Amino acid sequence: MSTPRARLAILASGGGSNLQAILDHLRSLGNAAPAEVAVVISDRAAAGALDRARAAGILAVHLPASESHTLAALLEAQDITHIALAGYLRLIPAEVIAAFAGRIVNVHPALLPAFGGPGMYGRHVHEAVLRAGVRVSGPAVHFVDTRYDEGAIIAQWPVPVHAEDNPETLAARVLAAEHHLYPRIVAALCAGTITLDADGTVRGAEELTSGRAIPGAPPVT
Ligand code: GRF
């Protein structure tokens, strides 16, 4: 008997390009897709992610921050098995973290544990990277806990920082890598290939820790 498909909830506050990349990747897998996106939830009514969900015929829910205590019930009502944060700017309630331990992930646009934490989102991340003068940045995918950007790291993909970069050019280069990396991590998590031990050890992500391991990925240079 085949394993039932995971029912994925995507939480997003912004445009939703990572949501779109996940939808496109799962569609490309056809019958072999290990998950379906069952609901997209946003704290912002105007989030482009909600428009993308509606366009794809997926339940789109605006859940204002003041209603976040209802998130657990919403996830349960939709039989959600896994959660992917995709540009979601709120902390996840502790009861949801506990219920989805090892089944909730996030993508961050810098190489955690550097350049993460409260206030480190969007343009602020890339400004900090450029200010620090580091030569490599890139997305990090990690399990989510009750703090910003601190859960166990699953995968990182190095992307070069060029001398002539500004926050926009760097963000675009990192985002392109996110779109390749994140859907594959989410799919592997939903397939049960990637797991989190009770002691925080991540297993099954070795093949996805570098862009070079991903067929069709753009070169790192
Ligand atoms: C991405 O850069 C992601 O790393 C961060 O928020 C951004 C979301 O972009 N967490 P989008 O809404 O998926 O286009």
Side-chain angles (χ1 to χ4, degrees):
M1 219 175 72
S2 59
T3 319
R5 271 191 185 167
R7 286 179 61 79
L8 185 59
I10 310 265
L11 273 61
S13 300
S17 69
N18 276 289
L19 160 68
Q20 192 65 53
I22 291 168
L23 291 174
D24 294 347
H25 182 63
L26 292 176
R27 193 175 306 124
S28 78
L29 295 177
N31 288 337
E36 62 181 300
V37 178
V39 62
V40 174
I41 301 168
S42 181
D43 56 316
R44 287 185 49 238
L50 292 179
D51 295 332
R52 290 182 194 264
R54 291 185 197 105
I58 293 166
L59 178 64
V61 178
H62 171 220
L63 191 76
S66 58
E67 299 294 317
S68 65
H69 59 279
T70 65
L71 179 60
L74 170 59
L75 297 170
E76 195 178 337
Q78 292 299 321
D79 284 330
I80 297 305
T81 60
H82 296 73
I83 302 172
L85 310 186
Y88 189 64
L89 297 179
R90 307 271 172 190
L91 281 178
I92 302 299
E95 61 172 322
V96 173
I97 299 292
F100 286 86
R103 291 177 293 127
I104 175 168
V105 292
N106 180 44
V107 63
H108 184 77
L111 297 176
L112 295 173
F115 308 110
M120 276 295 191
Y121 62 90
R123 186 188 170 92
H124 304 297
V125 176
H126 304 293
E127 284 172 348
V129 165
L130 292 173
R131 238 186 347 259
V134 296
R135 311 316 307 266
V136 179
S137 190
V141 180
H142 63 98
F143 283 104
V144 175
D145 64 16
T146 52
R147 295 160 301 177
Y148 281 112
D149 303 326
E150 288 201 23
I153 293 169
I154 301 170
Q156 295 167 312
W157 189 353
V159 165
V161 179
H162 297 318
E164 62 276 19
D165 267 334
N166 56 48
E168 286 73 32
T169 57
L170 179 57
R173 194 175 308 119
V174 173
L175 192 62
E178 292 179 38
H179 293 164
H180 282 273
L181 181 63
Y182 198 34
R184 287 163 176 82
I185 296 287
V186 169
L189 178 80
C190 291
T193 312
I194 292 175
T195 58
L196 177 66
D197 288 357
D199 70 355
T201 306
V202 176
R203 299 193 189 275
E206 293 79 8
E207 285 299 308
L208 287 165
T209 52
S210 158
R212 280 169 298 176
I214 300 172
V220 169
T221 51

